[in-house]
Amino acid sequence: MTPPTNRPDRAAALHKARARATATPDDPSWPLHLAEDLRDIRAGWKTSAEVCADAAWSARSAGRSVLGLLSPEDVLATDRDPITARALAHLYLSALRFDFRCPTLQRLVEHLAETARQPLDCYTRALYAFALLGQSRPEGLMVMDEVLTEAEEHPKTLHVLLHGLWLGQDLDRGAERLLALSSRPALATGTGTDPIILFRVAGALRRLARYDEGLSAVDRAIDCLPPGDIAVHADLVRERSLICAARDLHQHQSHTRTSSGVPS
C-alpha cells in the first residue's frame, strides 16, 4: 500500500484507523490491524501513542481489554517492522497502565529495551516512568525528567507522567511535582476544564492538606465530566469523600489539641 502523502489524505486514513479500532472490539485481530494501519501511514511515535492509548482505553471500557488479545510475546517479537512493533507495544503497555499493573509493565519494558532493534520511543519510556512512579520508586523521577526533555509538551505523554505521580503516594515531593507538571503549557489549559487533570490535582491538594482547594478542584471536575461517564464519576465522588474525611480528621485533631491546651 502506498502511504498517504498529503495532509488531508493522511488525516482521513488516520480517522479510518481510529474508527476501525474502536468499532470492532470483539474482533480479536483489531490490534494487529490498527498497528498495520499506523504502519501504512508511517505514523510517528506521537500519533501512535495518541491512537493506541485511546484504542486501549476504549477496548477496556467495552470489556475487551487488549491484555486478552495480545501477549508479551507479541510485544517482544523481533520480526516486525519498527512502526508495527511500536504500535503493539503502545497498545499492550497502555492496557497494563490502565489496570495499574506496574511491576509487570516495568519488567516488560526492561525486557523490550534489551531486545529492541532501536532505542525506545519517548512514550514507551513515559510508560516505564509511570510503572516506577506508581511503585513510588525514586528512579522513576529520574526517568520522568529524562522523558520531559524530549516530550515537547506532548499531552498524552504528560498525562502518563501525571498519572504516575498521582499513583505514587510515597514519592519525594510527589504532590508538589504533580502540581508543577499540571501547570505545563500542554496541560495548563485543561487544569480548569479537564476532569482527569482536575481529579489528579485534587488528590495532590489533599495530600498537601489543602482541603478547600482540593474540594474546589474535584467539584469542577464533576461539573466538567461528560454525561454518562459512570466510572470516572465514581472516582471523583470517592476522591471528594476522601478530601472531606481528611479535612474533618484534621479539624478534629486541631480541636482536640486546642481543647487539651496543646499548641496546634
Side-chain angles (χ1 to χ4, degrees), residues 25-58:
D26 292 330
D27 179 2
S29 63
W30 75 257
L32 183 57
H33 289 321
L34 176 58
E36 292 171 343
D37 287 342
L38 292 174
R39 176 202 62 200
D40 290 342
I41 62 172
R42 296 179 182 171
W45 71 264
K46 293 179 183 179
T47 298
S48 178
E50 291 155 13
V51 174
C52 292
D54 289 347
W57 178 258
S58 295

Side-chain angles (χ1 to χ4, degrees), residues 14-247:
L14 184 57
H15 176 75
K16 183 179 179 180
R18 285 180 179 273
R20 181 159 71 157
T22 56
T24 57
D26 292 330
D27 179 2
S29 63
W30 75 257
L32 183 57
H33 289 321
L34 176 58
E36 292 171 343
D37 287 342
L38 292 174
R39 176 202 62 200
D40 290 342
I41 62 172
R42 296 179 182 171
W45 71 264
K46 293 179 183 179
T47 298
S48 178
E50 291 155 13
V51 174
C52 292
D54 289 347
W57 178 258
S58 295
R60 183 178 186 272
S61 299
R64 293 286 293 170
S65 172
V66 174
L67 300 181
L69 304 176
L70 295 175
S71 68
E73 289 71 28
D74 292 317
V75 177
L76 297 171
T78 58
D79 58 346
R80 293 191 173 95
D81 66 276
I83 295 178
T84 300
R86 182 179 61 202
L88 293 175
H90 284 172
L91 283 168
Y92 196 84
L93 298 174
S94 293
L96 289 173
R97 170 199 163 201
F98 294 142
D99 277 6
F100 296 167
R101 302 191 186 199
C102 295
T104 300
L105 202 167
Q106 176 195 342
R107 290 192 297 269
L108 187 55
V109 176
E110 289 172 349
H111 195 174
L112 185 62
E114 294 173 356
T115 59
R117 292 176 291 175
Q118 57 188 21
L120 299 181
D121 67 278
C122 189
Y123 189 71
T124 297
R125 286 186 284 118
L127 289 165
Y128 183 57
F130 164 83
L132 296 172
L133 294 170
Q135 299 173 79
S136 295
R137 297 184 56 167
E139 58 265 41
L141 297 172
M142 294 183 288
V143 177
M144 180 184 75
D145 289 341
E146 293 171 0
V147 169
L148 287 173
T149 63
E150 298 181 36
E152 299 176 352
E153 296 299 321
H154 182 239
K156 285 291 187 186
T157 300
L158 299 186
H159 266 284
V160 169
L161 300 175
L162 199 71
H163 194 186
L165 289 171
W166 171 83
L167 187 60
Q169 294 288 313
D170 297 322
L171 292 166
D172 179 41
R173 296 182 58 80
E176 293 90 341
R177 292 172 189 269
L178 190 156
L179 295 178
L181 182 58
S182 72
S183 68
R184 287 181 69 114
L187 299 181
T189 55
T191 304
T193 58
D194 186 318
I196 300 301
I197 297 177
L198 287 165
F199 172 52
R200 311 281 188 226
V201 166
L205 292 169
R206 169 173 51 81
R207 286 152 61 183
L208 294 172
R210 293 162 58 179
Y211 304 120
D212 291 340
E213 293 174 76
L215 282 174
S216 177
V218 79
D219 285 343
R220 290 202 310 276
I222 292 172
D223 198 45
C224 293
L225 192 67
D229 199 332
I230 299 173
V232 176
H233 186 271
D235 287 339
L236 293 171
V237 171
R238 189 178 304 111
E239 178 59 46
R240 196 180 197 284
S241 298
L242 289 172
I243 294 172
C244 289
R247 182 190 61 182

